[in-house]
Amino acid sequence: MRYNEKTLKPIYKSLYLVFLVNILFWSCLDGGDKMRGRAAIKSGSDDGSSGLDPSASSTGTETKVTRPSNQISINKDFCSCLKGKPDIIGNCVNFCKDKNIDTPTLYVNVTLSPEVELNPDIGNLFNWCTKQINDGLVNPTCQLEVYDGIEIKYLDVVIPANSNRFSVNINTLDKNKTYVLTLVENGSTSNAKTQSFQIRRADYIEPVSPDSLLKITPVSMYSCIRRIGTQSAQNIQDYSLAYKSFYFYAKAKYPPTIPAGNTTVFCHDIDTNGAADDPKFPRLDLQEQILNLWDETDTRFYDADNNQKIDINDYIKDQLQKNYGITAEVNIFSELATYNAPTDVNYGTGTGTGSGTGSGTGSGTGTGTGGGGTGNAAAVRIGFKMDFFANPVTKKSYCPKQNDYNSDDSLLKILKNVVGVDTEGIYLATREAISTTDAEGNVILAPAASMIIRESILKKIWFYYDNKGNHVVPDDNTVSQETIRFYWPPDYKYPLIKKSTQQTFTLNSATTKPAHDKKFGCIPTRGL
């Protein structure tokens, strides 16, 4: 039989199909194990595990099921609330206004990674904390791990079913202390963790309108007496030299008492109350409210945005730019720190220096005060001061008053809304040297002492010596050319006659950007 091309073509096609089917058949038999391995993996996702069959893998190596760790992040909107107010530092005012609860409660939202969220047996925080998986561990549960830098403790948490949030009572955590928190699954001992976050509990202070007047706090002054020399066995009055040092404190910074048993330093009337100090005893030479400062509890003296500048300075800078198109760094307010008690009752009474250098339209250097000696305690911030200003024509320093706020100066216009009150200068003065001679003829020198004095007192009692030794009251020109002194305690009726009870003080000039009259800042006016 003869075949032509037309009759052979269907036969060739049929033979080719038979050949192809045989190849595919034998290929399937040869690769069966691999096919079965893939099928095992696929079916394993439905067995209550993490989607892997621990008894099967393409390599023959067992895959261990684990609860995902470090795969849950903490949202930044966490807040703690107490009686409708924020209980931690953070932006929680609006969140907490509807949370009228009697215990401080922390509320936290989380975000799951795909490894947790897409796992059919987990899918949310509640399951991550409570659902048993095929890892050989039982009874999973979560607690909040709390670390304060020294020790770790655990708090129970509340997690709503099928949610990605939790809450916890943090009543046992101290205020004004930073904690590192981590949610851990420790019931089954898997110890899987979320990412960590920090909180700091703090009393909530109602915010102040940015353009309302800054709060003012009064500051009091007192003295302590130190005796140098040889003490008799019977009488403390036998000391050959007694000198005073001066200290300042705001109402909230009341000075500590002198430790019991000390016989060389006292800050109260020992003839009336005995040698042992007590918090109830009035301080020596107490002059209440001798200074006014701006109150450190005003929230505008905080650094809420952590940019290393107090917020009131940022506010003034922003107002200059917004209202007047002026771009300038502003550091017009700075803290005033002093020692509020002798720093070392055994050896001396340290010298205090406040921090902060003023700039902007005004200029000045922040300075504090204290008695001299070898004490090493830190100064205590008692409030905030403002920079002095300089007349653009005369270059002489001044502290603004009402007519200045109503001038054309852009900065002073802004300060009218936040300061608004008349201000006066403050000055730092150092006492004259005091010494005595011991039984061997050696000179015993008392440590130096210094004090802060406000302008309305100083200008009633200051003087300088002319070339003949006469007392002369300085004016606005001679004050910058002469060494200015005053007698303390003040005698306003006869200020230029030194009494036996008085000591001589000399004004110090600021070491940077000195004022013509030696002031180092401005404070709210109090008057006599």
Side-chain angles (χ1 to χ4, degrees):
M1 185 177 184
R2 180 180 280 256
Y3 296 96
N4 58 31
E5 185 178 349
K6 185 175 182 180
T7 57
L8 287 175
K9 194 172 283 188
I11 297 173
Y12 291 154
K13 185 181 288 187
S14 298
L15 290 173
Y16 175 75
L17 290 174
V18 172
F19 176 73
L20 183 60
V21 170
N22 276 278
I23 290 175
L24 291 174
F25 174 75
W26 290 109
S27 296
C28 288
L29 291 179
D30 184 58
D33 289 341
K34 294 179 181 179
M35 297 290 286
R36 283 192 297 274
R38 285 192 291 270
I41 294 174
K42 183 177 180 181
S43 63
S45 62
D46 299 321
D47 67 357
S49 72
S50 62
L52 296 176
D53 184 347
S55 65
S57 71
S58 60
T59 61
T61 302
E62 181 177 328
T63 301
K64 183 179 181 181
V65 176
T66 59
R67 194 176 303 270
S69 188
N70 293 311
Q71 297 298 313
I72 299 176
S73 60
I74 305 298
N75 295 358
K76 293 183 179 180
D77 59 355
F78 57 84
C79 286
S80 176
C81 305
L82 176 63
K83 297 181 178 179
K85 304 294 183 183
D87 179 63
I88 61 173
I89 295 175
N91 186 22
C92 296
V93 176
N94 291 333
F95 178 85
C96 290
K97 63 183 180 181
D98 298 326
K99 300 288 190 300
N100 192 22
I101 50 179
D102 293 328
T103 56
T105 303
L106 178 65
Y107 300 89
V108 182
N109 295 310
V110 304
T111 297
L112 311 178
S113 73
E115 185 175 348
V116 180
E117 186 174 21
L118 301 181
N119 188 311
D121 298 306
I122 301 179
N124 56 59
L125 180 68
F126 178 81
N127 288 342
W128 183 85
C129 280
T130 62
K131 190 170 183 180
Q132 188 169 308
I133 61 176
N134 192 22
D135 60 356
L137 304 176
V138 296
N139 300 323
T141 187
C142 280
Q143 287 185 305
L144 188 64
E145 180 183 276
V146 180
Y147 178 55
D148 64 0
I150 300 175
E151 62 180 356
I152 294 176
K153 60 182 176 181
Y154 293 89
L155 303 178
D156 292 332
V157 298
V158 176
I159 309 174
N162 302 317
S163 75
N164 290 325
R165 66 183 187 272
F166 68 91
S167 61
V168 55
N169 184 341
I170 59 172
N171 187 53
T172 57
L173 305 189
D174 296 332
K175 291 185 178 180
N176 301 312
K177 189 174 185 178
T178 300
Y179 294 93
V180 178
L181 310 180
T182 311
L183 190 66
V184 298
E185 191 290 294
N186 55 7
S188 72
T189 70
S190 75
N191 293 320
K193 299 176 179 287
T194 67
Q195 294 180 4
S196 300
F197 63 109
Q198 291 186 351
I199 67 167
R200 186 177 180 90
R201 294 190 66 201
D203 290 325
Y204 177 69
I205 300 175
E206 292 289 346
V208 181
S209 172
D211 56 358
S212 63
L213 297 185
L214 293 165
K215 293 171 62 177
I216 295 172
T217 186
V219 174
S220 300
M221 173 184 174
Y222 74 103
S223 66
C224 293
I225 291 179
R226 175 177 293 280
R227 296 186 179 274
I228 294 178
T230 303
Q231 178 187 8
S232 79
Q234 302 296 325
N235 195 341
I236 196 171
Q237 303 296 330
D238 289 347
Y239 279 92
S240 56
L241 173 63
Y243 68 92
K244 291 182 180 180
S245 296
F246 301 93
Y247 304 92
F248 298 81
Y249 65 93
K251 186 175 182 180
K253 303 284 186 179
Y254 194 80
T257 56
I258 300 301
N262 186 279
T263 58
T264 60
V265 178
F266 53 91
C267 306
H268 67 282
D269 187 338
I270 60 174
D271 293 329
T272 301
N273 298 307
D277 200 358
D278 187 279
K280 300 188 298 292
F281 295 160
R283 301 297 88 184
L284 282 176
D285 304 322
L286 179 63
Q287 298 189 51
E288 295 183 340
Q289 303 182 16
I290 196 168
L291 302 173
N292 280 334
L293 297 176
W294 282 282
D295 195 330
E296 67 174 356
T297 65
D298 190 312
T299 55
R300 288 167 290 182
F301 290 114
Y302 297 176
D303 179 17
D305 56 3
N306 295 314
N307 70 344
Q308 310 307 311
K309 291 179 61 178
I310 56 176
D311 294 341
I312 184 61
N313 287 333
D314 283 337
Y315 170 77
I316 295 170
K317 176 183 176 180
D318 293 342
Q319 291 297 301
L320 281 172
Q321 175 64 45
K322 177 181 177 181
N323 296 325
Y324 303 102
I326 298 174
T327 301
E329 286 300 316
V330 176
N331 294 293
I332 194 168
F333 287 97
S334 58
E335 70 175 19
L336 181 60
T338 75
Y339 291 104
N340 66 352
T343 59
D344 187 333
V345 296
N346 297 314
Y347 300 103
T349 53
T351 298
T353 301
S355 63
T357 298
S359 61
T361 301
S363 61
T365 301
T367 309
T369 183
T374 58
N376 56 6
V380 176
R381 184 176 68 200
I382 56 174
F384 282 80
K385 65 176 182 62
M386 185 174 71
D387 251 339
F388 59 78
F389 286 69
N391 185 293
V393 177
T394 66
K395 308 303 180 185
K396 292 179 179 178
S397 64
Y398 69 95
C399 291
K401 295 179 170 53
Q402 293 303 317
N403 61 323
D404 298 305
Y405 299 132
N406 294 321
S407 70
D408 293 330
D409 187 286
S410 302
L411 178 57
L412 287 168
K413 287 181 179 180
I414 295 171
L415 289 177
K416 179 180 180 178
N417 295 326
V418 293
V419 175
V421 299
D422 288 353
T423 59
E424 61 179 318
I426 47 175
Y427 303 76
L428 183 65
T430 303
R431 188 191 55 211
E432 64 186 338
I434 301 177
S435 64
T436 189
T437 305
D438 64 16
E440 287 75 33
N442 300 312
V443 175
I444 301 175
L445 182 66
S450 55
M451 65 176 290
I452 298 171
I453 185 170
R454 71 177 192 268
E455 183 176 354
S456 52
I457 293 178
L458 175 65
K459 289 188 175 181
K460 294 179 181 295
I461 59 176
W462 66 357
F463 66 88
Y464 67 90
Y465 295 118
D466 65 13
N467 55 11
K468 295 181 180 180
N470 299 314
H471 293 71
V472 180
V473 177
D475 57 30
D476 211 32
N477 293 316
T478 57
V479 67
S480 62
Q481 304 166 8
E482 304 291 343
T483 300
I484 307 301
R485 297 180 171 89
F486 61 88
Y487 299 133
W488 193 267
D491 180 349
Y492 299 116
K493 188 174 183 179
Y494 302 105
L496 305 183
I497 300 175
K498 186 177 182 180
K499 302 9 173 235
S500 61
T501 57
Q502 292 180 313
Q503 296 174 344
T504 305
F505 281 77
T506 302
L507 291 189
N508 299 332
S509 293
T511 56
T512 59
K513 298 182 181 179
H516 82 288
D517 64 348
K518 302 177 177 61
K519 68 168 63 75
F520 71 89
C522 301
I523 61 173
T525 298
R526 182 183 178 274
L528 288 172

